[in-house]
Amino acid sequence: MREELDKRLCEKYPKIFKDRGGSMQETCMCWGVEHGDGWYDIVESLCSTIQSHVDWKRRQNQGLSDKEFDENHQVIAVQVKEKFGGLRFYVNNSDDYVNGAITLAESMSYRTCESCGDKGHRRSGGWIRTLCDKCQAGKSSE
Ligand SMILES: [Zn+2]
């Protein structure tokens, strides 16, 4: 993903992307968000859904300090990438709600061009990608 979009996501959801600046030994997030710009909206909506859920849980929470709550319940992205034409969003501290949201986002990615965000579908070939007709055509003419 373009650096600008990557940065925008990390600034908007600093708690989810808290490992973004981590070292290679500690986290895959040192590579950033490893997929095309076309999925930005999907990932952005997913992060928004996740963070509001975590914030809601925090308000329900009794007895844990903020730090303890974050350690146990703040969802943290450990790797975000493209695989076999679909989005993969791996996290720590997830729950059923978060897993459901991730499943929805991943299924949306199979219908969305990874390059430009238009309606797309999976293309076979050496590297399976989800692309729209236009981006697919542009790719073949390269
Ligand atoms: Zn496209």
Side-chain angles (χ1 to χ4, degrees):
M1 182 140 62
R2 260 188 296 150
E3 198 185 324
E4 178 203 336
L5 293 179
D6 186 345
K7 204 167 148 237
R8 200 192 300 167
L9 262 184
C10 297
E11 280 171 5
K12 208 160 170 193
Y13 305 103
K15 289 183 165 175
I16 295 176
F17 292 106
K18 94 178 200 0
D19 289 344
R20 178 62 184 87
S23 77
M24 214 186 297
Q25 285 76 25
E26 291 163 346
T27 172
C28 292
M29 286 312 291
C30 65
W31 306 115
V33 178
E34 299 174 82
H35 60 70
D37 295 353
W39 290 348
Y40 177 82
D41 284 345
I42 297 177
V43 171
E44 208 279 326
S45 311
L46 175 61
C47 291
S48 159
T49 304
I50 290 174
Q51 193 56 56
S52 33
H53 173 68
V54 172
D55 291 344
W56 174 82
K57 261 168 96 172
R58 186 188 301 274
R59 288 194 298 276
Q60 310 304 308
N61 163 63
Q62 305 281 328
L64 289 182
S65 70
D66 256 11
K67 191 169 171 280
E68 287 167 330
F69 180 86
D70 277 347
E71 276 166 12
N72 292 290
H73 300 293
Q74 174 60 51
V75 175
I76 295 163
V78 293
Q79 193 174 17
V80 183
K81 64 173 184 182
E82 178 275 339
K83 191 176 181 186
F84 303 130
L87 172 71
R88 296 293 186 280
F89 198 92
Y90 300 111
V91 297
N92 283 335
N93 291 344
S94 69
D95 60 16
D96 287 348
Y97 180 98
V98 170
N99 290 335
I102 291 173
T103 302
L104 176 66
E106 291 181 347
S107 68
M108 287 302 295
S109 74
Y110 285 108
R111 299 149 187 246
T112 307
C113 176
E114 190 193 340
S115 183
C116 75
D118 271 357
K119 216 170 157 60
H121 63 89
R122 278 220 294 177
R123 315 285 170 163
S124 48
W127 185 1
I128 301 167
R129 311 294 301 260
T130 299
L131 294 169
C132 68
D133 292 340
K134 237 165 104 185
C135 292
Q136 173 69 15
K139 216 176 111 251
S140 338
S141 66
E142 264 167 26

